[in-house]
Amino acid sequence: MNKTFKEIEKHIERAAALQAATILFEWDSETLEPPAAGELTAGLIGSLSAQYQELMTDPGLQALVEQCEKEKGLTETEEGILKELKRQIKELKSIPPKEYRAYKELIAGAVRIWERARAENDFSLFAPTLQEIVDYKKRFASYRAEKGQKLYDVMLDEFEKDFHMAQLDPFFETLKQELVPIIKKLVKENRKPDTSFLTAGYSLESQEQAAKFIAEYVGMDFNKGVLGVSAHPFTTNLHNKDVRITTHYTDSIDTSVFSVIHETGHAIYELGVRDDLTLTPLGSGASMGMHESQSRFYENVIGRCEAFWEPVYERVAAIFGPPLTDISLDSFIKAVNRVEPGLIRTNADELTYALHVQIRYELEKMMIEEDVPVTELPEIWNRKYEEYLGVRPERDGEGILQDIHWSQGLFGYFPSYALGSAFAAQIYLHMKKTMDVEQLLREGKLSVIQEYLRENIHQFGRLKTARQIIKDVTGEDFKPEYYVEYLREKYEK
Amino acid sequence: MNKTFKEIEKHIERAAALQAATILFEWDSETLEPPAAGELTAGLIGSLSAQYQELMTDPGLQALVEQCEKEKGLTETEEGILKELKRQIKELKSIPPKEYRAYKELIAGAVRIWERARAENDFSLFAPTLQEIVDYKKRFASYRAEKGQKLYDVMLDEFEKDFHMAQLDPFFETLKQELVPIIKKLVKENRKPDTSFLTAGYSLESQEQAAKFIAEYVGMDFNKGVLGVSAHPFTTNLHNKDVRITTHYTDSIDTSVFSVIHETGHAIYELGVRDDLTLTPLGSGASMGMHESQSRFYENVIGRCEAFWEPVYERVAAIFGPPLTDISLDSFIKAVNRVEPGLIRTNADELTYALHVQIRYELEKMMIEEDVPVTELPEIWNRKYEEYLGVRPERDGEGILQDIHWSQGLFGYFPSYALGSAFAAQIYLHMKKTMDVEQLLREGKLSVIQEYLRENIHQFGRLKTARQIIKDVTGEDFKPEYYVEYLREKYEK
């Protein structure tokens, strides 16, 4: 191995340990940490982040990177690691250490503030913190923006390299134009299947048991993973032998089954990353869009498909008990595929989902590009929900406060959900040409599907971009038309 | 504030963050981490430990410490922090970085190996790891031993400064001579109260509920703490706003109640440390002996006392349900104070407890001072149990493999349990002169007792030695006679 690269690896290893420690603190603070710990723990996270930044911006490391770039004999993987490391160093160098640390401490405490505001349905409790976060994010984006680059494009770049506003604006507009007529038609036809049994007083114990069972059935390896509980479901990745998912139990099969399948999709991705990439700068999914493509593929394309449920429906129904035990598979499938404009993104059907995302995308643009103060957001949010979806939140908790993302400083993330769905559709339509997916599901052979995804997507971590992966898998560039085709096929029949 | 000290504080803060991260990883690995994560996580812990050692042995920090020592105007607390910091630096400097890191990685994986060996009742699975740990510990002790100092004395020093073999040998011998006749007498009298109801198929749920209830009743503040589950009960201290205890549920009131009271005693200590000491080198208990004095005070002196149970016995019995609900308080108290030589230290009564500790003390001396290979330990262990307690383990799990400590590299720790009991007795006998402890218990006023301990012991963290605390509290130097007096009074009546 190249000697200089070996030296670089020592730095990478130390940085990875500091990052893993921060990730563990974050996991802990959302799942277990006692309430009063927040302030001191935020200081610890701040200090670890500061040490991470210092390590990554160390002039010695930079000299090594420059030296290594001149040398020959690097493998493709090493070159990829070097490139991503350089990008990370550049980003970290652009932020003054004091601001970086203060921001990390702010974020470490912000989830708690959001949680309380949501529980009390009072956006004003969260607004000052949110404004602070927005201001930091804008400043940080301005530090690394290239000449003439829009700040929100800088933020989008973090999550999906090739999709800026110039691409996303028409993407969302097309979706809206294509999907709204279908939604209107379905709503007009008033197909309202019985969904009462999806929320029917199921015990916490049975919800937990079902969640565990379904996660394992889908392909979660609990030898390398954990299922926990948090206010908002998420997946956290320490390394490819320790990936953790959470859910929140709300007495709804949406949260104990479909949300768990979604997070399991994320986890399968991270667990499939190659051993030589884990704990390096390339050690997680290619992009958030590609990540959401995997989670939404499992949740929707597979998880809401009759063939998927055929081998296990009876067993899952038995875990939940009545009334689910009295519901036919056919009625269950109709219920979990109902199209109904609603208030909550994570419960949305596949057709209306993109509209939920579009609203967030538009609000983020307003916050970042138009300097709209956050105090005006609830009213704008409610108005847009009325306009796009025909429903209006009565409380902040079911409106502007429903998502954790902004409290974690995640601006530019939401579009990944819609992009991910579109990636998933394109990959799925291609996949169907190479294997009989429904037959595999009927036979319970989830592992064949997982192996396909691992081989073609997961193993590479961040070694390829999302766009490259789509090209390599499907032989075509990304085409959002496949998403519309997939949805039309599913919902017009 | 002194400028130099302020600079030192920056180093302390960074070191504290690295230490807290390691502690959180350790907590996580004993309570939650998935099985396959161990190897990579050990590497992360190794890297964090290496970064900690590097930070603490940084020449810049050492120069600051030397500078600061020459300056004036430090507060007593600052002087204490400086002194302890210097001691820690000296210890860390004595160990070559490669060995320090390799040892930390070894320890990070050793608990898992011990757990498996215990589950399979097979010491041979753990022996090679244990021998490696012993060899490291001896080497590390040799690096910092003063001329002529015995290695085991160096190890004892880590846990209790003023108690080396020269003090402990006669201490244990006196205890044995005093206690064995009482034990023999009681065993001969064959007072065997009914204890069957202590292990009577109580549901996990009721055990958990009782554990939580009793911890809170004793004084655990779950706003600043967590109750978890692990193979061996322990307390972990991130800072004075986040202290966590564990237990393991075995369908025995011993583990779900008394073990929990024990760990709560540790937690109350850590939660009582002053805000200006937490996350500094003085930010935890004075010594392991003083720590065990608090846990064993709560567990035994208070927790097995009839007055303690009067206000809550009915409620706890109701949580467990039958048969406990049919047992009188009097029978319960007799059962939990039964004297019966047994195999398991953590279940031992107060009289035989010191003999369990003495056996471990003698074995550690053999390993460290006489180079007895670990493979010979099971036989020696079993022989000593037969000789001292008249019982002989049939399986390694109830013998040599019962304690977690050696897998964590804790050699020299065990004597703290006996010393702690002795400290607790002396403090208790003094305390009784200043307040009517039994009356307070009868009135459920645990907070008055906690306040007394906080005021006199807990708040100081490591600012005072255990010996100094005992002097300050009782007006006398440590006297083991009080321990014998306490036991005689309790068991001869």
Side-chain angles (χ1 to χ4, degrees), chain A residues 38-102:
Chain A
E39 204 183 318
L40 287 180
T41 298
L44 296 173
I45 291 176
S47 177
L48 291 170
S49 303
Q51 294 182 59
Y52 170 73
Q53 190 195 29
E54 196 177 299
L55 212 153
M56 288 285 280
T57 56
D58 174 60
L61 174 58
Q62 211 166 342
L64 283 169
V65 170
E66 278 163 23
Q67 171 67 25
C68 199
E69 277 188 308
K70 287 181 211 147
E71 291 173 4
K72 282 179 186 167
L74 288 190
T75 65
E76 196 195 332
T77 302
E78 288 164 355
E79 266 176 15
I81 290 172
L82 205 62
K83 193 178 155 200
E84 175 64 14
L85 180 65
K86 226 181 128 184
R87 192 194 66 74
Q88 292 179 358
I89 290 173
K90 194 179 162 198
E91 185 178 328
L92 286 162
K93 264 189 84 168
S94 74
I95 305 172
K98 266 198 179 166
E99 290 182 26
Y100 185 72
R101 177 172 181 157

Side-chain angles (χ1 to χ4, degrees), chain A residues 472-484:
Chain A
D472 290 349
V473 175
T474 68
E476 291 182 277
D477 202 352
F478 168 63
K479 284 194 188 150
E481 294 79 1
Y482 288 119
Y483 185 29
V484 176

Side-chain angles (χ1 to χ4, degrees), chain B residues 10-29:
Chain B
K10 289 185 193 162
H11 289 258
I12 288 176
E13 186 219 70
R14 310 188 118 212
L18 290 172
Q19 259 191 318
T22 308
I23 290 169
L24 187 63
F25 266 113
E26 285 162 357
W27 155 270
D28 187 77
S29 78

Side-chain angles (χ1 to χ4, degrees), chain A residues 13-14 28 36 54 223 244, chain B residues 14 28 36 54 223 244:
Chain A
E13 186 217 72
R14 308 187 119 210
D28 188 77
E54 196 177 299
N223 196 37
R244 303 172 181 200
Chain B
R14 310 188 118 212
D28 187 77
E54 196 177 297
N223 195 37
R244 303 171 181 201

Side-chain angles (χ1 to χ4, degrees), chain A residues 35-166:
Chain A
E39 204 183 318
L40 287 180
T41 298
L44 296 173
I45 291 176
S47 177
L48 291 170
S49 303
Q51 294 182 59
Y52 170 73
Q53 190 195 29
E54 196 177 299
L55 212 153
M56 288 285 280
T57 56
D58 174 60
L61 174 58
Q62 211 166 342
L64 283 169
V65 170
E66 278 163 23
Q67 171 67 25
C68 199
E69 277 188 308
K70 287 181 211 147
E71 291 173 4
K72 282 179 186 167
L74 288 190
T75 65
E76 196 195 332
T77 302
E78 288 164 355
E79 266 176 15
I81 290 172
L82 205 62
K83 193 178 155 200
E84 175 64 14
L85 180 65
K86 226 181 128 184
R87 192 194 66 74
Q88 292 179 358
I89 290 173
K90 194 179 162 198
E91 185 178 328
L92 286 162
K93 264 189 84 168
S94 74
I95 305 172
K98 266 198 179 166
E99 290 182 26
Y100 185 72
R101 177 172 181 157
Y103 170 72
K104 288 291 179 179
E105 291 193 17
L106 174 68
I107 289 295
V111 170
R112 279 273 160 88
I113 297 168
W114 163 75
E115 268 176 27
R116 196 160 59 88
R118 192 174 73 149
E120 298 187 20
N121 274 299
D122 185 354
F123 180 72
S124 73
L125 294 175
F126 179 51
T129 307
L130 179 57
Q131 190 65 60
E132 258 192 279
I133 295 173
V134 169
D135 293 344
Y136 267 115
K137 291 300 285 190
K138 282 164 80 167
R139 210 171 325 138
F140 291 176
S142 76
Y143 293 148
R144 64 176 191 277
E146 285 169 27
K147 216 186 153 209
Q149 201 185 7
K150 299 262 190 200
L151 295 187
Y152 190 50
D153 276 341
V154 176
M155 295 181 196
L156 287 166
D157 216 50
E158 250 182 76
F159 303 103
E160 202 57 69
K161 278 189 188 111
D162 304 307
F163 298 87
H164 297 147
M165 286 183 280

Side-chain angles (χ1 to χ4, degrees), chain B residues 414-429:
Chain B
F414 281 116
S416 311
Y417 288 108
L419 281 173
S421 302
F423 294 171
Q426 183 165 348
I427 291 166
Y428 175 60
L429 293 178

Side-chain angles (χ1 to χ4, degrees), chain B residues 7 56 95 192 279 294 316 383 412 447 489:
Chain B
E7 278 305 305
M56 289 285 280
I95 305 172
K192 282 200 175 167
L279 292 172
Q294 301 306 289
V316 172
R383 214 167 51 222
S447 62
E489 198 183 313

Side-chain angles (χ1 to χ4, degrees), chain A residues 20 27-28 123 176 242 254 282 291 294 299 460 472:
Chain A
W27 155 270
D28 188 77
F123 180 72
K176 197 161 76 173
D242 191 344
D254 278 328
L282 301 179
H291 237 301
Q294 300 306 288
E299 177 192 352
F460 300 113
D472 290 349

